[in-house]
Amino acid sequence: QVQLVESGGGLVQAGGSLRLSCAASGRTFSSYAMGWFRQAPGKEREFVAAISRSGDSRYYADSVRGRFAIFRDNAKNMVYLQMSSLEPEDTAVYHCGARSIGNLYVVQSYNYWGQGTQVTVSS
């Protein structure tokens, strides 16, 4: 069982930066690959970024590659999403998820989710 709690969202102007954090409970954090997804009003939850169990491999959606960075600290049971050059289109609720197996780009592959943190980017 893994419980996830996101934090770090807020209101920021276009071009600004935010760092989201996801705190995980449990002693098996390092056995899960982690991902960040986002959901805007009226839209489906979409993939943003993912990181392997060790942190050696990272994956990004085309829309955020070069602007966002995902990293993790297994000693602290934390995963982060550093977001830069934010655009109004990045406005959404951001969720972190934990995955054992399956396609890292797909919501259904993730076993556990946090409640989400709101990111609002003003133009």
Side-chain angles (χ1 to χ4, degrees), residues 29-85:
F29 176 70
S30 61
S31 66
Y32 291 93
M34 300 296 295
W36 284 97
F37 284 68
R38 65 188 181 188
Q39 188 165 16
K43 295 187 177 181
E44 293 188 352
R45 192 171 295 190
E46 66 173 5
F47 171 79
V48 175
I51 190 166
S52 62
R53 292 169 181 80
S54 65
D56 289 345
S57 298
R58 300 174 177 86
Y59 309 87
Y60 298 97
D62 289 344
S63 59
V64 307
R65 186 175 290 111
R67 299 189 298 122
F68 291 11
I70 185 171
F71 54 103
R72 67 190 294 167
D73 185 337
N74 285 343
K76 296 182 178 179
N77 282 15
M78 296 290 295
V79 62
Y80 305 95
L81 186 67
Q82 179 66 47
M83 306 186 296
S84 303
S85 301

Side-chain angles (χ1 to χ4, degrees), residues 2-46:
V2 176
Q3 292 184 327
L4 304 172
V5 179
E6 302 93 336
S7 61
L11 174 63
V12 64
Q13 288 188 331
S17 299
L18 281 175
R19 188 173 80 164
L20 305 184
S21 300
C22 175
S25 66
R27 294 177 289 179
T28 59
F29 176 70
S30 61
S31 66
Y32 291 93
M34 300 296 295
W36 284 97
F37 284 68
R38 65 188 181 188
Q39 188 165 16
K43 295 187 177 181
E44 293 188 352
R45 192 171 295 190
E46 66 173 5

